[in-house]
């Protein structure tokens, strides 16, 4: 019932997001389908009553599925996957920044590449674990972990720059 | 880093993005999905959502309830013959993982005091708890998907869905197999007692009571989320105008009294005249006693209660299709993790807990004593 509700409610939105990326209705339908399959496996974590959170979740998933499909279609290889695995040794100051306003964070998040933002969103807001995200987005746990670390560091650096 | 601020900011950014997408969508016409897509999604949703919902209910077979047995069935009627991604997914996940091997999921295990029976894809395994011998009873019919089972007298009953949807039985010696009841409409849950079959239909969640002698059918409710039947009463949770209600009636009269619920449940279990409902979303268990709702500090996708003790799969520990199996004393509030990485479990005859650890094909099976929670085998 819940999955059906999700499907009826969000399939147009999901299709729109996928089609914007893929620019191919057939591929976009495939992306919606694939996204639903992944969502179905995580139904236990979806609070259908929280419309905004659910909407953001389905958009995040279909967005990632479509991007992955686009890469495959274009035979495009994302070398940043490897960059993610390179340990950034630069230490980032933490404590000083803790009192900053949410606006600074929003601005920093806006500058983040989407792949970092989506994973951070799933991890911090939707409270998915690293292994759950790894399955959801079909990335290795190591990549997910590194993207979370690097995403955080990028946000902190940006905030620091602005102060 | 201020985690609270980060969380708030991420939430805000996502909210703004979704709003922007929706705004942009206003200038586009609605996409008409292809027939293939619609068909595949319909099949997928029917199958996966029913499977999901019925996780919270399974066969309960106490010694005192020999003739009253619950059977939980997944609705997966009417697969389209093709369908690449979705069909593959259904086959690999729901067929292989759920049906393709010994599994107690959704009530696929039963016990008759001597043997534990497990329903697999095309055989019934009969495991003798005294001699530790395992026998296979080959199923002869061509039904592609079989669901829950129970044992009564000399027969093992099992549900089947698909073209020959209905209730079938095979004799314990494996020599006789026959159709007991046809049900072409397909169903996701069925409960049989001496007189009636209570059938939750796949389509629109209609709850139908069918007289096993006369074949007469009466639709009791539509939009049913789940139901439970015990020796005396029928308990139904259903929506009316989007509001969830609990309906309770004596089996003899089927005159239902209704109570509005403050939350939407997805499953119901009744023990000692207390109702245990898992609420949609987070699976928090709510106990209802004399109409009073009380939220318990438990989150269970599937749970059973015997003698003031609950055992449940803890939804907060979900990982890789598995959960922690937790024992909770409803009187003292003491809880204990019985086993981690549990894919499924069956409480057999209120004496044994049969536990399936790790998802198929890597499952390992254990038998625990329900009374002292010690590993037997």
């Amino acid at each position: 019932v819940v999955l059906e509700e999700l499907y009826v409610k969000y399939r147009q939105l999901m299709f729109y997001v996928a089609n914007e990326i893929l620019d191919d209705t057939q591929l976009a339908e495939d992306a919606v389908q694939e996204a639903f399959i992944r969502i179905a496996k995580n139904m236990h974590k979806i609070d259908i009553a929280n419309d905004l959170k659910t909407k953001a979740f389905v958009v995040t998933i279909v967005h990632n599925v479509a991007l992955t499909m686009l890469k495959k279609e274009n035979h495009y290889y994302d070398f940043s996957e490897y960059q993610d695995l390179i340990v950034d040794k630069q230490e980032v100051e933490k404590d000083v920044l803790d009192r900053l306003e949410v606006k600074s964070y929003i601005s920093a998040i806006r500058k983040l590449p989407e792949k970092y933002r989506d994973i951070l969103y799933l991890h911090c807001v939707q409270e998915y674990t690293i292994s759950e995200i790894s399955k959801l987005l079909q990335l290795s746990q190591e990549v997910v972990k590194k993207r979370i670390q690097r995403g955080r560091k990028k946000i902190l650096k940006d905030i620091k720059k602005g102060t | 880093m201020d985690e609270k601020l980060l969380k708030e900011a991420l939430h805000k950014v996502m909210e703004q993005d979704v709003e922007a997408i929706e705004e942009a969508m206003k200038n586009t016409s609605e996409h008409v999905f292809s027939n293939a897509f619609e068909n595949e999604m319909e099949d997928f949703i029917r199958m996966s959502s029913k499977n999901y919902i019925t996780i919270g209910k399974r066969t309960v077979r106490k010694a005192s309830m020999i003739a009253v047995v619950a059977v939980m069935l997944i609705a997966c009627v009417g697969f389209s013959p093709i369908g690449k991604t979705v069909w593959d997914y259904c086959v690999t996940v729901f067929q292989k993982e759920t049906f393709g091997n010994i599994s107690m999921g959704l009530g696929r295990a039963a016990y008759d005091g001597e043997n534990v029976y497990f329903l697999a894809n095309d055989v019934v395994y009969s495991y003798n708890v005294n001699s530790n011998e395992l026998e296979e009873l080959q199923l002869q019919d061509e039904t592609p998907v079989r669901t829950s089972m129970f044992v009564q007298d000399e027969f093992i009953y099992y549900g089947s869905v698909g073209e020959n949807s209905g209730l079938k039985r095979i004799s314990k010696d494996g020599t006789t197999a026959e159709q007991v009841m046809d049900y072409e409409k397909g169903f996701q849950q069925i409960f049989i007692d001496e007189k009636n079959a209570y059938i939750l239909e796949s389509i629109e969640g209609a709850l139908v009571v069918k007289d096993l002698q006369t074949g007469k059918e009466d639709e009791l409710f539509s939009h049913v989320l789940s139901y439970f039947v015990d020796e005396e009463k029928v308990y139904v949770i259903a929506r009316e105008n989007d509001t969830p209600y609990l309906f309770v009636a004596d089996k003899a009269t089927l005159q239902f009294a209704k109570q509005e619920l403050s939350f939407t449940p997805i499953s119901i279990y009744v023990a000692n005249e207390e109702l245990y409902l898992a609420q949609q979303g987070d699976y928090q268990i709510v106990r209802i006693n004399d109409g009073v709702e009380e939220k318990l500090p438990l989150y269970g996708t599937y749970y059973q209660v015997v003698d003031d003790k609950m055992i449940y799969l803890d939804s907060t520990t979900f990982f890789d299709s598995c959960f922690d199996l937790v024992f909770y004393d409803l009187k003292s509030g003491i809880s204990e993790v019985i086993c981690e990485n549990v894919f499924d479990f069956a409480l057999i005859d209120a004496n044994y807990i049969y536990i399936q650890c790790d998802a198929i094909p890597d499952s390992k099976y254990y038998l625990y004593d329900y009374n002292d929670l010690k590993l037997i085998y």
Side-chain angles (χ1 to χ4, degrees):
Chain A
V1 176
V2 180
L3 190 63
E4 191 172 0
E5 211 173 318
L6 279 183
Y7 172 66
V8 172
K9 216 166 168 182
Y10 299 124
R11 63 183 180 158
Q12 288 293 342
L13 175 69
M14 291 170 76
F15 175 82
Y16 180 84
V17 172
N19 200 39
E20 282 293 293
I21 294 166
L22 295 161
D23 196 22
D24 179 319
T25 55
Q26 184 58 52
L27 282 178
E29 284 190 358
D30 287 349
V32 174
Q33 217 173 57
E34 175 61 25
F36 259 105
I37 288 166
R38 296 189 196 177
I39 289 164
K41 292 186 95 172
N42 289 277
M43 288 303 293
H44 64 289
K45 294 197 75 164
I46 294 176
D47 178 6
I48 192 85
N50 190 334
D51 193 45
L52 184 63
K53 206 170 166 187
T54 306
K55 212 185 282 179
F57 176 69
V58 299
V59 165
T60 306
I61 302 307
V62 77
H63 177 254
N64 275 272
V65 169
L67 283 178
T68 307
M69 285 172 70
L70 185 69
K71 282 179 202 164
K72 280 184 189 161
E73 280 296 307
N74 295 340
H75 305 290
Y76 165 74
Y77 201 86
D78 185 1
F79 286 99
S80 60
E81 298 289 335
Y82 283 101
Q83 287 171 12
D84 284 337
L85 297 173
I86 300 167
V87 179
D88 185 350
K89 287 179 182 166
Q90 189 181 342
E91 287 298 318
V92 183
E93 291 173 34
K94 293 175 184 175
D95 301 340
V96 192
L97 306 168
D98 281 353
R99 290 182 298 277
L100 287 170
E101 295 296 318
V102 72
K103 258 201 291 187
S104 321
Y105 278 83
I106 291 178
S107 157
I109 291 165
R110 283 259 165 250
K111 290 175 197 159
L112 264 190
E114 285 171 333
K115 62 181 182 182
Y116 295 116
R117 196 193 65 187
D118 285 352
I119 287 180
L120 271 175
Y121 174 75
L122 289 172
H123 189 59
C124 301
V125 181
Q126 298 273 355
E127 293 173 354
Y128 278 73
T129 64
I130 287 166
S131 53
E132 283 171 336
I133 297 170
S134 138
K135 283 189 179 141
L136 202 54
L137 304 185
Q138 296 184 355
L139 297 166
S140 74
Q141 289 196 23
E142 200 57 25
V143 166
V144 173
K145 211 186 291 174
K146 287 297 170 191
R147 282 192 188 176
I148 290 170
Q149 284 173 3
R150 288 178 67 86
R152 283 171 179 276
K153 282 179 183 174
K154 279 173 190 288
I155 291 170
L156 278 171
K157 274 182 194 170
D158 191 82
I159 291 171
K160 199 184 167 192
K161 239 189 252 173
T163 53
Chain B
M1 182 181 282
D2 188 325
E3 291 298 322
K4 208 176 149 198
L5 280 181
L6 175 66
K7 190 174 170 177
E8 194 184 332
L10 280 163
H11 188 69
K12 194 76 197 160
V13 166
M14 214 36 108
E15 188 181 17
Q16 288 167 354
D17 282 3
V18 171
E19 271 172 18
I21 293 167
E22 286 182 320
E23 193 56 38
M25 270 179 76
K26 284 180 187 165
N27 302 321
T28 60
S29 53
E30 208 165 76
H31 174 68
V32 179
F33 286 92
S34 63
N35 286 338
F37 175 88
E38 293 278 20
N39 290 340
E40 286 169 17
M41 287 307 296
E42 195 181 316
D43 289 341
F44 171 69
I45 287 165
R46 189 183 295 140
M47 187 169 196
S48 55
S49 59
K50 301 310 180 193
N51 184 40
Y52 190 75
I53 284 163
T54 50
I55 281 171
K57 293 287 296 291
R58 253 174 263 191
T59 304
V60 186
R61 192 172 178 284
K62 291 160 77 171
S64 60
M65 289 175 63
I66 299 298
V68 184
V69 187
V71 186
M72 303 302 306
L73 298 173
I74 303 167
C76 32
V77 182
F79 293 125
S80 60
I82 51 166
K84 45 185 188 338
T85 319
V86 172
W87 177 246
D88 289 347
Y89 177 76
C90 288
V91 169
T92 53
V93 176
F94 292 110
Q95 290 266 54
K96 182 166 170 263
E97 289 191 6
T98 311
F99 305 136
N101 208 322
I102 296 176
S103 169
M104 291 144 296
L106 309 157
R108 291 157 61 82
Y111 177 66
D112 66 357
E114 189 174 358
N115 292 291
V116 183
Y117 300 94
F118 303 103
L119 180 61
N121 206 27
D122 52 4
V123 294
V124 171
Y125 291 95
S126 170
Y127 171 73
N128 189 299
V129 293
N130 299 316
S131 65
N132 292 338
E133 281 173 15
L134 188 71
E135 267 186 76
E136 288 183 17
L137 308 174
Q138 193 69 41
L139 299 174
Q140 302 295 332
D141 65 85
E142 295 171 356
T143 308
V145 180
R146 300 182 183 82
T147 57
S148 304
M149 66 184 302
F150 64 93
V151 179
Q152 195 172 309
D153 301 328
E154 288 311 303
F155 288 95
I156 302 151
Y157 291 77
Y158 61 94
S160 66
V161 293
E163 285 182 7
N164 301 312
S165 178
L167 188 69
K168 303 184 179 195
R169 69 181 185 183
I170 181 170
S171 58
K172 285 181 184 175
D173 60 9
T175 56
T176 315
E178 58 192 336
Q179 183 97 4
V180 180
M181 183 184 79
D182 294 324
Y183 206 74
E184 290 171 1
K185 290 177 192 167
F187 45 91
Q188 52 173 308
Q189 187 178 338
I190 186 169
F191 183 99
I192 310 279
D193 62 18
E194 299 98 325
K195 188 174 182 295
N196 293 315
Y198 300 84
I199 301 153
L200 179 51
E201 288 183 357
S202 311
I203 311 297
E204 292 182 359
L207 180 62
V208 170
V209 59
K210 182 179 172 113
D211 189 306
L212 291 172
Q213 292 296 320
T214 64
K216 186 171 168 276
E217 287 179 19
D218 285 315
E219 184 175 318
L220 299 178
F221 295 95
S222 60
H223 304 99
V224 171
L225 296 156
S226 191
Y227 74 95
F228 189 92
V229 183
D230 64 17
E231 289 99 322
E232 291 175 0
K233 290 181 178 168
V234 182
Y235 306 82
V236 180
I237 44 177
R239 288 183 205 263
E240 270 185 8
N241 300 323
D242 282 340
T243 306
Y245 287 95
L246 165 71
F247 298 87
V248 183
D250 285 334
K251 280 164 84 174
T253 61
L254 291 179
Q255 296 295 312
F256 285 90
K258 82 174 182 183
Q259 176 193 340
E260 187 175 337
L261 297 169
S262 66
F263 63 100
T264 302
I266 59 155
S267 61
I268 175 168
Y269 189 94
V270 183
N272 309 325
E273 297 185 346
E274 291 182 317
L275 284 65
Y276 298 87
L277 293 84
Q279 73 180 13
Q280 193 179 75
D282 62 2
Y283 293 99
Q284 182 164 21
I285 309 289
V286 180
R287 176 164 53 192
I288 300 181
N289 191 346
D290 277 341
V292 179
E293 294 176 10
E294 176 198 2
K295 285 192 174 183
L296 300 177
L298 314 171
Y299 299 82
T301 57
Y302 166 52
Y303 46 99
Q304 290 192 0
V305 179
V306 177
D307 300 334
D308 293 321
K309 296 166 192 165
M310 175 181 278
I311 50 173
Y312 66 98
L313 293 176
D314 182 351
S315 68
T316 63
T317 60
F318 179 78
F319 176 69
D320 200 13
S321 305
C322 294
F323 306 83
D324 283 359
L325 179 63
V326 181
F327 164 87
Y328 183 81
D329 189 316
L330 289 158
K331 277 194 171 161
S332 66
I334 294 169
S335 69
E336 183 183 342
V337 175
I338 302 170
C339 192
E340 293 177 356
N341 297 321
V342 175
F343 182 72
D344 208 348
F345 79 96
L347 183 59
I348 299 164
D349 203 32
N351 279 319
Y352 303 104
I353 316 167
Y354 204 88
I355 297 175
Q356 180 180 10
C357 284
D358 301 328
I360 290 166
D362 304 314
S363 295
K364 295 164 212 76
Y365 301 88
Y366 304 98
L367 193 64
Y368 278 71
D369 188 312
Y370 181 69
N371 301 302
D372 59 13
L373 304 179
K374 295 228 169 93
L375 180 68
I376 300 174
Y377 179 73

